[in-house]
Amino acid sequence: MSTRGHSPLAIRAMEAFLAFCLLSMVVMVFGNVVLRYGFDSGIMVSEELSRFAFIWLVFVGAVVAMHEGAHLGVDSLVSRLPRQGKLVCLAISQLLIVICCAMFFWGTWRQHEVNQTTMAQVTGLSMIWVFGMGYFSSLGIGSIALHKLWCIVTGRIADDELVAVRESEEETDPDHGAAPVGTQGERA
């Protein structure tokens, strides 16, 4: 049973939110540039809101990337290990991810009151809307790592999921495995 490859409704909703954040950033920044250079005016909140949208894009994007196994890493040693060695390394890495997510959640929780009572200068929004993304990303990434640990423990993890990262120079082809990409995006 594979833990990757399907897109549940939550992941598709997050991808739609990412597209919305990116589109809103483009519209706000481009609109402000046109207003400043063309009409010598601007919308003050657009700069702050586009910065918030960028932060949301990064934190939500990290959860989606974790689900897709798209975070970068080095697999030169792990890919040469036998299945048992890969399982041990994957379990250790997922356990470390869960520990880091727990620390991230705890740190966000400890700063919650300060961030909730601090207001953004232009919009007046509580800064918990920015720093509170630590809750979302730590819970999202942590739950994905816990699910992968559960699949390891129950033996329901596929061989192609034992190496949790992909090299940046590789393009994954589901029929033929990974193949190197040429300098102009073509297969070498």
Side-chain angles (χ1 to χ4, degrees):
M1 172 180 262
S2 175
T3 60
R4 204 185 302 156
H6 64 291
S7 268
L9 184 59
I11 296 297
R12 283 185 271 156
M14 283 187 264
E15 289 172 344
F17 181 74
L18 292 174
F20 171 75
C21 284
L22 188 59
L23 178 65
S24 64
M25 286 169 47
V26 168
V27 167
M28 285 187 282
V29 171
F30 181 73
N32 228 12
V33 168
V34 169
L35 286 172
R36 281 189 183 151
Y37 289 106
F39 302 100
D40 204 23
S41 69
I43 303 171
M44 289 180 51
V45 297
S46 70
E47 192 172 320
E48 194 168 88
L49 288 176
S50 63
R51 188 171 48 249
F52 292 173
F54 180 70
I55 293 167
W56 297 333
L57 183 122
V58 169
F59 280 91
V60 175
V63 176
V64 173
M66 178 69 176
H67 176 265
E68 300 296 327
H71 287 285
L72 295 178
V74 179
D75 66 345
S76 54
L77 173 66
V78 176
S79 62
R80 293 188 175 119
L81 294 175
R83 180 175 169 82
Q84 275 310 108
K86 290 177 184 176
L87 278 170
V88 169
C89 287
L90 183 62
I92 290 170
S93 71
Q94 297 304 307
L95 188 59
L96 288 171
I97 290 170
V98 169
I99 291 168
C100 288
C101 286
M103 290 181 350
F104 190 25
F105 184 89
W106 177 247
T108 305
W109 177 263
R110 300 254 335 216
Q111 289 293 325
H112 182 91
E113 187 177 336
V114 171
N115 293 324
Q116 187 177 16
T117 57
T118 303
M119 302 301 164
Q121 286 188 336
V122 178
T123 60
L125 287 172
S126 170
M127 291 305 288
I128 198 64
W129 285 101
V130 176
F131 295 105
M133 289 305 292
Y135 292 129
F136 180 82
S137 61
S138 63
L139 289 174
I141 292 172
S143 65
I144 293 168
L146 284 172
H147 178 259
K148 190 158 281 205
L149 277 171
W150 175 254
C151 289
I152 292 169
V153 169
T154 59
R156 293 186 285 170
I157 191 156
D159 285 341
D160 66 330
E161 295 178 291
L162 292 178
V163 179
V165 297
R166 289 185 221 143
E167 301 257 349
S168 63
E169 294 87 26
E170 293 181 350
E171 176 183 313
T172 302
D173 182 357
D175 296 329
H176 304 291
V181 177
T183 56
Q184 296 182 336
E186 301 171 359
R187 290 181 165 244

